[in-house]
Amino acid sequence: MNLVKSKKRVADHGEVFTPSEMVEAMIDLVKDESERIDSRFLEPACGSGNFLVPVLRRKLVTVEVRYGKSEFERRHHALKALMSIYGIELLADNIEECRRNLLEIFADYLSLDADDEWYAAAATVLRTNIVHGDALSMTTLEPKPRPIAFAEWSYLGKGRYQRRDFRFDTLTQRASFGADDTLFADLGRHEIFTPTVDHGSLSVADLAMEKGNRP
């Protein structure tokens, strides 16, 4: 595996990719969480997805074990697994590659074509969850930078999802972890956060119809 794309990128951005063996060993440190469908993972320097891709693969194994006998549940929980993956990345080409890599894993698992409604819905999720931004300043990299916001996705059952958006800087300032807490625990404190936008209940068709539904 080539661990650098160019010496200039290393000098300018400190970009060096982690070997896959080391990635798997690091994810194994939180093995149970990496295999839980709804456990949220954020990689603040996600590159092309070296960490996020294997996490998604592990989650989809769990989906298959639990819901493989029902195509309806299998598809909806696979999308829920994708919704739990988040990333921030400085470099635009890495963002595009990361989204493509994750979408390819999802599409292969569900045997989707590019014109499939589920493919478009997944692309919408990835465009939302994988952000072109600066994790240190917590702002997007746009002509007019905005505070980074992340969608909290929840599966409501019967093919419906809920989406609520929260500012990243607010989450990091308000989050606190006690001695008995873990980074990935569901702390039951969502009521103290106020979403910037509540999109309400959404179907796969709703997600697929959003503009720019390609990664």
Side-chain angles (χ1 to χ4, degrees):
M1 176 184 178
N2 190 356
L3 302 182
V4 299
K5 288 187 175 180
S6 72
K7 292 181 179 179
K8 187 176 188 306
R9 288 167 71 107
V10 175
D12 291 347
H13 305 289
E15 182 187 66
V16 179
F17 295 98
T18 308
S20 57
E21 298 84 357
M22 187 177 296
V23 168
E24 294 291 347
M26 293 172 71
I27 298 174
D28 279 341
L29 295 174
V30 288
K31 185 176 186 298
D32 290 344
E33 298 297 335
S34 71
E35 296 171 356
R36 210 178 86 204
I37 296 170
D38 61 351
S39 181
R40 297 183 180 95
F41 276 75
L42 167 63
E43 172 53 61
C46 65
S48 57
N50 285 16
F51 281 88
L52 299 182
V53 164
V55 169
L56 178 60
R57 285 197 178 108
R58 293 182 182 212
K59 288 172 174 287
L60 293 178
V61 169
T62 303
V63 171
E64 186 64 27
V65 170
R66 293 186 180 178
Y67 302 104
K69 294 183 179 180
S70 168
E71 186 62 15
F72 180 88
E73 295 296 341
R74 177 173 173 264
R75 285 183 169 235
H76 283 88
H77 282 88
L79 187 58
K80 172 57 184 171
L82 187 68
M83 288 171 167
S84 73
I85 301 291
Y86 299 86
I88 304 171
E89 172 58 31
L90 281 169
L91 303 179
D93 60 335
N94 281 344
I95 280 287
E96 296 303 318
E97 187 175 354
C98 182
R99 291 171 178 166
R100 284 196 304 270
N101 290 340
L102 290 166
L103 183 57
E104 181 179 353
I105 296 299
F106 179 82
D108 285 350
Y109 175 66
L110 294 182
S111 300
L112 303 177
D113 295 325
D115 58 352
D116 194 291
E117 178 179 73
W118 284 83
Y119 188 100
T124 295
V125 170
L126 289 170
R127 193 176 64 254
T128 302
N129 284 21
I130 309 300
V131 178
H132 186 203
D134 185 335
L136 295 178
S137 66
M138 301 186 193
T139 57
T140 60
L141 292 176
E142 300 173 302
K144 294 183 179 180
R146 297 174 291 110
I148 290 174
F150 283 118
E152 177 197 59
W153 303 94
S154 302
Y155 183 48
L156 304 175
K158 298 182 179 180
R160 307 293 299 187
Y161 300 90
Q162 182 183 45
R163 173 184 169 181
R164 301 191 303 163
D165 295 352
F166 295 86
R167 280 179 51 157
F168 184 40
D169 55 358
T170 300
L171 293 175
T172 56
Q173 290 169 14
R174 298 291 297 276
S176 62
F177 299 93
D180 296 329
D181 296 332
T182 70
L183 179 60
F184 304 100
D186 181 2
L187 302 178
R189 300 173 183 167
H190 295 299
E191 65 276 8
I192 71 174
F193 300 117
T194 302
T196 57
V197 183
D198 188 335
H199 298 261
S201 175
L202 301 167
S203 67
V204 169
D206 294 331
L207 294 171
M209 288 174 62
E210 289 195 17
K211 292 181 180 180
N213 58 3
R214 289 294 181 267

